[in-house]
């Protein structure tokens, strides 16, 4: 069994021997892969819908680990308690969704969080820095033509992020994909800015904020 590059990047950051809750588990590949390699002492696979959860159960059955995973159909972490897990994976969903799941489960401040937002990066970073979380590490993975970020977070204080850092995270020159990621996010900022400039209802505050984001990302790129 092999994981896709984006899921492998999450798996590589799960602490050895952890009890993991994989929220939005879909096919259950992450907990099954980790159990097969002796990386977990326990696992919960959770999903909002019955279909994905049944697919996860089938994957676990196929690889002979069904009895080592607890399957929960629930909204976020609603059916999971803090004393059951050490680490929580929230991968493959929007940043706003991840923020709402964490807000409903404040006990996650005491856990290792593996976050892989697909959208809404600025709003998720803003939520974390203002609700008692800190991002300890961010890494980048490439899968096909797409770049993905993987954040390791936990409870604690985080130095306030600039507008550009809310978009792209802290500067990490040692990540070989950082330059490509900054270029990709600069393109997103440029398109967002062009859209605001072309709008009939121009919000000058939003336009100024996007200029700051774009200039900040460009400066980070120069400093690599």
């Amino acid at each position: 069994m092999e994981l896709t590059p984006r899921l492998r990047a999450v798996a590589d950051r799960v602490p050895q021997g952890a009890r993991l809750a994989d929220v939005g588990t879909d096919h259950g590949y992450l907990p099954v892969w980790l159990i097969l390699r002796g990386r977990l002492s326990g696992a919960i696979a959770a999903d909002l819908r019955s279909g994905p959860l049944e697919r996860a159960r089938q994957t676990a059955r196929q690889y002979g680990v069904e009895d080592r995973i607890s399957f929960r159909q629930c909204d976020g972490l609603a059916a999971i308690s803090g004393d059951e897990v050490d680490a929580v994976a929230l991968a493959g969903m929007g940043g706003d969704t991840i923020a709402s799941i964490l807000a409903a489960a404040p006990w996650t401040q005491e856990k290792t969080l593996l976050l892989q937002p697909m959208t809404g990066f600025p709003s998720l970073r803003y939520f974390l820095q203002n609700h008692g979380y800190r991002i300890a590490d961010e890494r980048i993975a490439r899968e096909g033509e797409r770049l993905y970020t993987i954040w390791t977070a936990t409870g604690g204080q985080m130095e306030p992020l600039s507008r550009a850092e809310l978009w792209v995270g802290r500067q990490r020159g040692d990540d070989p994909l950082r330059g490509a990621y900054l270029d990709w996010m600069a393109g997103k900022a440029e398109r967002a800015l062009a859209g605001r400039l072309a709008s009939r209802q121009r919000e000058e505050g939003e336009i100024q904020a996007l200029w700051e984001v774009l200039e900040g990302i460009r400066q980070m790129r120069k400093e690599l």
Side-chain angles (χ1 to χ4, degrees):
M1 181 181 181
E2 296 297 331
L3 294 179
T4 62
R6 75 172 186 87
L7 281 181
R8 178 60 187 268
V10 176
D12 287 345
R13 285 154 184 81
V14 175
Q16 177 67 39
R19 298 171 298 163
L20 175 71
D22 182 31
V23 180
T25 193
D26 196 13
H27 286 78
Y29 294 139
L30 181 63
V32 170
W33 188 92
L34 288 164
I35 286 174
L36 289 172
R37 281 152 183 80
R39 295 275 304 280
L40 298 180
S41 60
I44 298 172
D47 209 287
L48 180 61
R49 297 171 296 155
S50 60
L53 201 62
E54 180 56 32
R55 289 195 292 271
R57 191 185 298 274
Q58 290 172 1
T59 299
R61 186 179 304 129
Q62 176 184 352
Y63 288 95
V65 296
E66 184 180 7
D67 61 338
R68 298 183 60 186
I69 300 176
S70 175
F71 299 89
R72 313 273 176 92
Q73 184 177 351
C74 60
D75 186 357
L77 291 158
I80 302 171
S81 62
D83 60 2
E84 293 183 283
V85 298
D86 311 302
V88 177
L90 292 154
M93 60 188 75
D96 291 338
T97 298
I98 293 174
S100 67
I101 291 172
L102 296 177
W107 54 261
T108 52
Q109 293 180 352
E110 302 174 2
K111 311 299 176 181
T112 297
L113 306 177
L114 292 312
L115 312 178
Q116 191 179 74
M118 309 298 278
T119 59
F121 316 116
S123 60
L124 180 55
R125 288 192 183 93
Y126 184 83
F127 168 84
L128 293 172
Q129 76 170 9
N130 288 283
H131 289 82
Y133 297 88
R134 68 179 186 91
I135 301 172
D137 183 67
E138 290 195 32
R139 294 290 168 174
I140 305 165
R142 185 190 296 276
E143 186 170 313
E145 298 300 316
R146 176 73 188 268
L147 294 171
Y148 299 87
T149 53
I150 303 90
W151 312 355
T152 303
T154 187
Q157 294 298 312
M158 184 164 57
E159 183 181 343
L161 298 166
S162 69
R163 282 192 169 124
E165 288 171 336
L166 286 171
W167 274 60
V168 300
R170 295 281 187 206
Q171 184 76 359
R172 289 199 63 96
D174 61 336
D175 193 313
L177 292 172
R178 180 64 174 178
Y181 184 71
L182 291 175
D183 291 341
W184 181 57
M185 291 300 289
K188 292 175 75 70
E190 287 171 352
R191 290 189 292 275
L193 179 59
R196 293 293 188 276
L197 290 170
S199 175
R200 293 181 178 178
Q201 297 179 329
R202 290 176 52 152
E203 293 289 342
E204 295 303 324
E206 290 184 10
I207 291 172
Q208 179 60 35
L210 284 169
W211 271 119
E212 289 183 27
V213 168
L214 183 55
E215 289 304 310
I217 295 174
R218 287 172 173 169
Q219 184 61 37
M220 290 181 193
R221 188 66 174 92
K222 291 178 182 178
E223 294 173 356
L224 275 184

